[in-house]
Amino acid sequence: AASLPSLAEILEFNRHSGIFDIPDSDFDIYAEARVASVKQGLIPPTELKRADGRIYRHQCMELSDGGRMLTYFDITERVEAERAQRALLETIPTPIAVVREADGIFLYANDPLAALIGRSTEDIVGICATEVYAEPSDRKRFIEALDGDGKIDEFEVEMKAADGTR
């Protein structure tokens, strides 16, 4: 009976056949990390770019018989739409932020917002929105207004800059 190829052999085959575009300089590191994660039972979803430019999300599920099922989802259009959206957000002169509703953490801030509150975009991402409201209770008012209508056309708050000025 022929033995099944190892994960490392499958990854090497994929690279040489042009299925996935993994640069030679990165391949060994990628393959070692992938094999190590599988050995530990950690099989995180991974995004891979094919040689033809298409982007796939690769996901592996453990099966009850000890085998694994691999699935590939073509996410090229979604990734391209996200890039276009980010390009728009980065060129628009209006201060814009994306904040996770559950905990108020900034996921994105554009340069005009950063300039408004005197912080870099890197300093904003990851902090709670209440840190930039002059009145932390304004976040609760904002969420209540959003929950009421499902949208907000106008909402005014006073913000504080990194130096404490309003």
Side-chain angles (χ1 to χ4, degrees):
S3 65
L4 294 173
S6 70
L7 177 57
E9 291 169 330
I10 292 170
L11 293 171
E12 185 70 31
F13 173 81
N14 286 348
R15 177 175 68 135
H16 285 297
S17 59
I19 294 173
F20 292 107
D21 186 18
I22 300 170
D24 288 341
S25 60
D26 297 339
F27 179 76
D28 289 338
I29 295 167
Y30 168 78
E32 285 177 26
R34 196 76 185 158
V35 169
S37 67
V38 169
K39 283 182 180 176
Q40 296 173 16
L42 306 170
I43 308 172
T46 305
E47 289 183 12
L48 298 169
K49 184 177 178 186
R50 285 179 32 148
D52 66 2
R54 307 267 332 147
I55 302 168
Y56 286 81
R57 183 166 181 85
H58 165 253
Q59 194 166 335
C60 184
M61 279 181 32
E62 295 279 347
L63 301 175
S64 59
D65 65 0
R68 292 187 176 96
M69 179 175 65
L70 300 172
T71 54
Y72 293 87
F73 303 95
D74 186 340
I75 60 169
T76 308
E77 284 78 19
R78 188 196 80 205
V79 170
E80 289 171 355
E82 288 172 357
R83 285 182 187 144
Q85 181 182 39
R86 184 164 298 266
L88 176 65
L89 292 175
E90 290 176 0
T91 58
I92 212 163
T94 304
I96 296 177
V98 176
V99 177
R100 189 169 44 222
E101 184 177 353
D103 58 9
I105 299 297
F106 281 99
L107 302 175
Y108 171 82
N110 68 357
D111 288 336
L113 179 71
L116 178 70
I117 60 175
R119 297 179 185 227
S120 70
T121 55
E122 293 82 14
D123 289 341
I124 297 170
V125 173
I127 66 169
C128 186
T130 57
E131 291 186 40
V132 299
Y133 287 146
E135 298 298 328
S137 61
D138 284 341
R139 173 161 161 67
K140 184 178 179 189
R141 281 190 322 108
F142 179 82
I143 297 298
E144 288 170 353
L146 183 61
D147 286 345
D149 293 337
K151 66 178 184 136
I152 296 176
D153 292 324
E154 191 174 316
F155 188 85
E156 189 171 319
V157 296
E158 189 173 10
M159 305 190 72
K160 65 179 176 185
D163 65 4
T165 60
R166 294 175 177 230

